[in-house]
Amino acid sequence: MAALAELKKAAALIVAGDYNPAFKEIAENSNHRASPDNKQSAQRWLFRTLAEGKVSASVVGKMRELATATLNVDYARTLADAVPASAFPGLADLSGLKDTEKEDAGLAAAIKEYYGWFGNWGWFTGQVRDQGMYAPDDCGFVGAHKRLVGALRDYEAKASEGDALLTQQQLVNNANQEQAAATWVDKLEMKYGLEVVADAREREQALLTHLGEHADYYRFVLFQALPPGEQLKLLTDLAPQLKVGYFEPRVVANNGPLLALPLTPVGQSQLAKTVDDLRTILAKASAEATQAEEAIRPDDYILPTPGMTVTTTLGTCDSCGPHERRMLNIEARKAAAEADVVGEEVRRRRLRLDNELYDDPASAGQPLRIDLVTSERPAPEPQD
């Protein structure tokens, strides 16, 4: 209750925090200084804004509810759960945020809303920062909330231990009553004959079979019948990985040979953090495996294979016989002669050009003309 009263007082101051009076004094006073009360009010407004934007909006909702809420254990649980245990940043981390993060959360909008969007941003932010209004003031809310969580954990642990003691005592009483009833049954059975005894032995075998089939359940019942101190000793001896403060010292159910223990708020937050860490690690490993798979490329290998070479029947010659060789020589001489003829023709025409003979170089002079003339002559006289 003391922690709840401290939280209520701190929440009232934080909810009443406002930045306008301090910003107005910076703009209008000749020395551009805000009063200590107004500066503190702006710091409380900044804490409320950061808590709502960076941690959880339900935290600020609970701050506003505290003024009219009924302070009891049930409300203390809801208030403790309103602040995420494993979230970052938490309430205690808000003062360590960067200035840019504080401006993005709402401080920049407040400055621009009050001084205008086209003012001297550097001068305004410098004045606000120099006068300490970039540092949030929690009015002791963070410390009171931590004390509330600790007190609530201790209270629930003691309540759980008391419930466990009552449950164990009831189980012991029931077992004693069953044992007394079994004693009377034994006495009565001794008075009957062999037939009744045989029937009882048959039922005994059925009972043993039943106990063997449901051994885990009866182990669980017998474990609950132990005193709380012995239960805690067995739990810590058989499961040394269980840390004190992370679980409540009572068993609530079983799953086969396994026992179920409720976690404390600290254990729940730690388990959630462990699950998140495992999820992050597995996601990172999967991404790295995918990158490694994409980086792997097939390698090319060149392997020697059997082969053969072919040599012609003539060995290193050009595969020409005597006749073929003579014909090749004749063709070579013919091509050389034709080249000489062409060369002489080129030389002849060049000489004609040098002598300024521009007529047709292919002309062979006056053509040869042949005329056939027929004349009448007397036929020769025949001779004797």
Side-chain angles (χ1 to χ4, degrees):
M1 293 300 104
L4 282 175
E6 293 179 13
L7 287 172
K8 182 176 182 179
K9 181 179 179 181
L13 295 175
I14 294 173
V15 171
D18 188 11
Y19 63 88
N20 284 287
F23 286 6
K24 182 178 181 181
E25 289 180 341
I26 293 176
E28 296 179 356
N29 290 349
S30 59
N31 59 355
H32 304 294
R33 305 297 296 180
S35 64
D37 292 339
N38 291 336
K39 285 194 296 184
Q40 193 172 31
S41 179
Q43 291 170 338
R44 294 166 181 170
W45 168 84
L46 178 60
F47 178 81
R48 185 180 74 239
T49 302
L50 294 177
E52 185 174 11
K54 296 294 185 179
V55 180
S56 174
S58 62
V59 178
V60 180
K62 289 296 181 183
M63 290 180 184
R64 294 189 174 96
E65 289 179 3
L66 274 170
T68 57
T70 301
L71 303 183
N72 51 32
V73 176
D74 293 334
Y75 188 79
R77 292 191 180 97
T78 62
L79 184 58
D81 294 338
V83 180
S86 60
F88 183 83
L91 292 177
D93 304 318
L94 297 180
S95 60
L97 295 177
K98 298 179 180 178
D99 290 350
T100 54
E101 293 177 319
K102 298 174 183 177
E103 293 169 354
D104 294 339
L107 186 57
I111 294 175
K112 292 178 180 179
E113 178 185 358
Y114 196 87
Y115 294 111
W117 291 86
F118 303 101
N120 189 341
W121 170 259
W123 184 84
F124 291 143
T125 56
Q127 289 292 331
V128 175
R129 185 182 293 105
D130 292 342
Q131 298 185 42
M133 280 177 277
Y134 267 71
D137 181 9
D138 63 355
C139 300
F141 187 88
V142 176
H145 185 270
K146 289 183 178 179
R147 289 191 294 275
L148 173 66
V149 172
L152 184 61
R153 181 174 61 249
D154 296 339
Y155 171 79
E156 291 180 344
K158 291 180 179 179
S160 301
E161 184 177 357
D163 293 340
L165 288 173
L166 292 176
T167 303
Q168 301 309 322
Q169 186 60 40
Q170 184 179 1
L171 290 174
V172 171
N173 294 336
N174 293 338
N176 291 333
Q177 294 175 3
E178 293 176 358
Q179 182 64 34
T183 302
W184 283 104
V185 170
D186 293 339
K187 292 180 180 180
L188 291 174
E189 286 182 350
M190 294 300 296
K191 297 180 180 181
Y192 295 94
L194 183 60
E195 181 180 358
V196 177
V197 175
D199 189 22
R201 294 295 299 271
E202 184 179 355
R203 292 196 300 272
E204 178 187 6
Q205 185 61 38
L207 177 60
L208 293 175
T209 303
H210 172 77
L211 292 176
E213 292 176 352
H214 303 281
D216 294 332
Y217 169 77
Y218 288 105
R219 291 194 188 100
F220 169 65
V221 174
L222 293 175
F223 181 86
Q224 286 188 318
L226 295 174
E230 294 185 17
Q231 292 186 19
L232 181 60
K233 184 178 184 304
L234 288 174
L235 290 175
T236 54
D237 292 342
L238 297 177
Q241 65 272 21
L242 293 176
K243 296 182 179 179
V244 178
Y246 283 74
F247 68 95
E248 298 179 7
R250 61 189 179 93
V251 178
V252 295
N254 75 304
N255 183 15
L258 305 178
L259 299 178
L261 287 78
L263 295 175
T264 61
V266 176
Q268 293 176 7
S269 62
Q270 185 64 28
L271 179 60
K273 182 178 183 301
T274 302
V275 173
D276 292 340
D277 293 342
L278 287 176
R279 186 183 296 110
T280 302
I281 293 171
L282 291 176
K284 182 180 179 182
S286 176
E288 292 176 354
T290 303
Q291 294 176 359
E293 180 182 2
E294 294 175 355
I296 295 176
R297 295 291 182 268
D299 296 330
D300 296 330
Y301 296 94
I302 300 176
L303 300 177
T305 56
M308 64 179 181
T309 58
V310 179
T311 304
T312 61
T313 56
L314 296 180
T316 58
C317 81
D318 53 3
S319 301
C320 294
H323 175 72
E324 288 80 1
R325 189 178 299 280
R326 285 195 298 271
M327 293 302 298
L328 290 175
N329 291 335
I330 291 172
E331 292 293 334
R333 291 198 303 272
K334 179 180 177 181
E338 291 176 352
D340 292 341
V341 171
V342 173
E344 290 296 329
E345 179 64 20
V346 171
R347 188 180 64 81
R348 183 180 71 82
R349 293 191 180 193
R350 184 176 291 111
L351 290 175
R352 289 178 60 85
L353 292 174
D354 294 341
N355 294 326
E356 299 182 355
L357 298 176
Y358 303 121
D359 55 349
D360 187 5
S363 176
Q366 294 296 327
L368 176 63
R369 179 176 179 180
I370 299 176
D371 294 332
L372 178 62
V373 178
T374 304
S375 61
E376 295 181 358
R377 295 180 182 179
E381 295 179 359
Q383 296 179 4
D384 295 335

